[in-house]
Amino acid sequence: EKWWKTMFAMIWMPIHSVVVSTLVQKVLVDHAATSILNSGGSKGARWFYWECVIWVGIQLISLGLNRWADVVQTRNRGRTGGIRQTHRSDLLHKFLHLEHSEHWEAPDSNWLYSAVYDADVVTNDAYFQVFILFQSFVALILAVLVILSLKIWSPGVSQEHGLGTRYFFIGMCLVTLPLGFLCIWSRRKLTLMVVIVRKNAEMAWFKSCTWVISSWRHFYGYSRIERNALEKRILKQNSEFIPKHWDARDTMNDNAWVSSWIQGVAYCLMLLFGIFQLIDYQTYGIGTMEVGTFYAMCQIYLKVGKYSGRLTKVFVSFQKAVVSLREIAALFNLRDERSQRWEAIQTTLARYKKANAIVYDCGVCFKRPPYHKVGYNFAELKLKQGCTLPLGHLIHVSSVASDRVLRSFLGLAAQVIHATVPSGEDLSHEGPRVVTPYGLRLAMIPTVPVTIEITGLP
């Protein structure tokens, strides 16, 4: 319901600017004012003064309705509560329910950048542009209808010239719009390339900047040399981002100006054609181009240029939004909670229906992902023999290798991490794994006790 309210309000707004304002000016100049001048000060001129008041009142009412339409579309369009924050909440929900091993499939900077930037781009450059698209199409249709209806207020002399003028106007609209869209379509690959390059460069800087701001407590352990090296790295990323941003900015601006140039040249031709028609009518009485008609045509064509420019920006925004849409879609389509998939549950139930223990299969293996080998909390391990941890008993587990090996062993039992193949890839359903009874809830707590005051928990 809100979507349709917003669409109706957006479509109503061009009625005021294209139809009402143009026709009011046309009637005031060519009918009311001309009739007063021709009356020679007679008593019959009083009605035309009241006519001016009536038309100005219509303009004022239309302005109020335009304000009402703006309020309706502002309160019902749902850009923040309906789209932007919804996508951000969905991304956060997806991220929170990823298993430990699944977090490595996409960098953390991609999640944060998509939640902050891509969600905003999708909202402004994809969702809301749909309303702008329909609004612009309706405005252009109204402009053509207004031009065709201007002959109602034109004298009946030489109607062929009047129709020729209007057909020239319509022909300019029909030629310039497809030409502008064709030029933008021919530059689509360049647009996508510069937007993707800019996005990747900004994402790298964004990740470093976010890490620095959120990890300030660790800086007390850094020397001045290490801090300077970290600053140089961020400044280097910033220097690499700025030229790529300039390329994307100039490309997007050039795309918008393609349509502006085409519409500007067509407007100059229409001015030249219209002023000659006005001179012929005022001097020789040839044609039907009155002062109000000429002014109305200029105003309408300026509106045509305005809304055709918006159409151009809509298609440019769609091209920009495609990159962010693909990024968000890729994050949403990541497979999550693999251990809870129905196939894994079926395999577990089939093999260990009566299991009352946590079972380590012989040869169970955990290896860190090949693209992340540094700074990991869990060590790599492979069990030569299987073992069983019975439930309902106190079990002492120790490791002679390192605490990280023990942490990996317990993490497999708590399903914080999951078994892999020796190459580090995801384990198939038939490989050795750590099996827990179905429905058992597990948790892994720190090996060093902490107090409530340290954690800040209520």
Side-chain angles (χ1 to χ4, degrees):
E1 181 181 356
K2 288 187 175 182
W3 192 91
W4 285 109
K5 286 183 178 179
T6 305
M7 181 62 72
F8 176 78
M10 293 291 290
I11 292 176
W12 175 265
M13 296 172 71
I15 296 178
H16 169 75
S17 59
V18 177
V19 179
V20 178
S21 297
T22 303
L23 294 182
V24 167
Q25 294 169 359
K26 159 69 177 174
V27 174
L28 287 176
V29 174
D30 285 345
H31 187 264
T34 303
S35 299
I36 292 173
L37 292 175
N38 294 334
S39 64
S42 61
K43 294 182 179 180
R46 181 179 301 178
W47 156 250
F48 298 109
Y49 284 101
W50 282 108
E51 182 183 4
C52 294
V53 175
I54 292 173
W55 281 106
V56 172
I58 294 174
Q59 174 73 16
L60 185 61
I61 294 173
S62 178
L63 178 62
L65 293 174
N66 190 61
R67 167 58 180 164
W68 168 80
D70 182 70
V71 172
V72 171
Q73 69 89 13
T74 301
R75 294 181 178 179
N76 292 277
R77 60 194 180 189
R79 291 195 302 185
T80 299
I83 302 298
R84 185 184 291 110
Q85 293 304 114
T86 300
H87 286 329
R88 289 171 176 172
S89 300
D90 291 341
L91 283 171
L92 181 61
H93 175 79
K94 178 79 173 183
F95 186 80
L96 287 174
H97 288 80
L98 290 177
E99 296 179 352
H100 190 277
S101 58
E102 293 164 351
H103 279 287
W104 305 109
E105 296 186 12
D108 50 358
S109 59
N110 287 42
W111 290 93
L112 184 59
Y113 188 83
S114 293
V116 175
Y117 177 78
D118 289 331
D120 189 69
V121 171
V122 169
T123 302
N124 294 326
D125 295 334
Y127 166 73
F128 192 68
Q129 295 301 317
V130 174
F131 299 107
I132 303 295
L133 177 67
F134 282 94
Q135 183 191 59
S136 301
F137 274 126
V138 171
L140 294 175
I141 294 174
L142 291 175
V144 174
L145 294 177
V146 170
I147 287 296
L148 292 176
S149 65
L150 288 179
K151 65 180 181 180
I152 298 177
W153 289 277
S154 300
V157 181
S158 186
Q159 287 294 320
E160 292 78 5
H161 291 81
L163 291 175
T165 303
R166 296 176 183 87
Y167 290 152
F168 174 79
F169 176 88
I170 298 173
M172 295 295 289
C173 295
L174 296 178
V175 171
T176 55
L177 289 176
L179 184 60
F181 296 150
L182 181 62
C183 294
I184 294 174
W185 178 257
S186 64
R187 294 167 55 89
R188 67 188 186 282
K189 292 184 179 180
L190 175 63
T191 303
L192 289 175
M193 182 184 68
V194 297
V195 170
I196 292 174
V197 171
R198 178 201 177 280
K199 184 178 185 300
N200 292 335
E202 187 179 28
M203 191 184 302
W205 174 87
F206 187 79
K207 178 180 181 180
S208 299
C209 184
T210 303
W211 184 88
V212 168
I213 295 175
S214 60
S215 304
W216 60 271
R217 296 175 181 83
H218 303 289
F219 289 170
Y220 296 102
Y222 290 173
S223 65
R224 185 170 299 276
I225 297 177
E226 292 170 331
R227 296 189 183 190
N228 291 337
L230 183 60
E231 182 181 9
K232 289 180 180 179
R233 175 185 175 182
I234 298 177
L235 292 177
K236 179 182 178 182
Q237 292 175 340
N238 184 68
S239 301
E240 293 175 349
F241 163 70
I242 291 177
K244 296 173 182 178
H245 168 74
W246 289 342
D247 293 338
R249 177 201 62 189
D250 294 342
T251 302
M252 303 286 284
N253 191 50
D254 291 343
N255 289 342
W257 262 98
V258 167
S259 178
S260 298
W261 268 108
I262 296 175
Q263 295 294 331
V265 172
Y267 179 68
C268 293
L269 295 176
M270 195 211 66
L271 280 179
L272 188 63
F273 185 82
I275 195 64
F276 286 161
Q277 290 288 317
L278 179 62
I279 293 173
D280 289 341
Y281 178 74
Q282 295 289 337
T283 305
Y284 308 106
I286 301 175
T288 60
M289 182 64 71
E290 299 174 303
V291 176
T293 304
F294 176 70
Y295 181 76
M297 290 187 62
C298 293
Q299 286 294 102
I300 292 176
Y301 199 82
L302 288 177
K303 298 298 181 182
V304 170
K306 171 185 175 181
Y307 286 104
S308 62
R310 286 189 178 182
L311 279 177
T312 301
K313 291 181 180 179
V314 165
F315 286 101
V316 174
S317 298
F318 282 166
Q319 293 177 355
K320 179 182 177 183
V322 165
V323 179
S324 295
L325 281 171
R326 289 175 179 175
E327 184 72 22
I328 292 180
L331 295 177
F332 280 145
N333 290 330
L334 288 177
R335 293 191 60 190
D336 57 347
E337 299 182 347
R338 288 181 172 86
S339 63
Q340 302 298 325
R341 298 290 178 182
W342 178 249
E343 297 85 358
I345 295 175
Q346 288 293 89
T347 302
T348 302
L349 292 177
R351 295 173 55 191
Y352 301 94
K353 288 183 179 180
K354 301 179 181 180
N356 194 25
I358 300 175
V359 180
Y360 287 78
D361 288 344
C362 179
V364 66
C365 175
F366 172 75
K367 188 174 183 180
R368 289 176 287 183
Y371 40 82
H372 193 88
K373 287 286 189 179
V374 182
Y376 210 52
N377 294 323
F378 299 93
E380 300 176 353
L381 62 83
K382 183 176 182 180
L383 297 181
K384 295 182 179 179
Q385 297 179 353
C387 62
T388 301
L389 302 180
L391 300 180
H393 297 76
L394 180 63
I395 303 173
H396 173 74
V397 181
S398 61
S399 171
V400 296
S402 67
D403 291 339
R404 291 198 302 157
V405 174
L406 176 61
R407 196 176 297 124
S408 299
F409 181 84
L410 297 176
L412 289 170
Q415 297 183 354
V416 176
I417 58 177
H418 300 281
T420 65
V421 297
S423 62
E425 301 296 332
D426 291 338
L427 185 67
S428 64
H429 299 304
E430 300 299 329
R433 65 179 69 243
V434 178
V435 182
T436 59
Y438 180 66
L440 180 65
R441 298 187 62 181
L442 301 168
M444 186 175 181
I445 61 175
T447 56
V448 180
V450 294
T451 62
I452 300 298
E453 289 79 12
I454 294 177
T455 59
L457 295 175

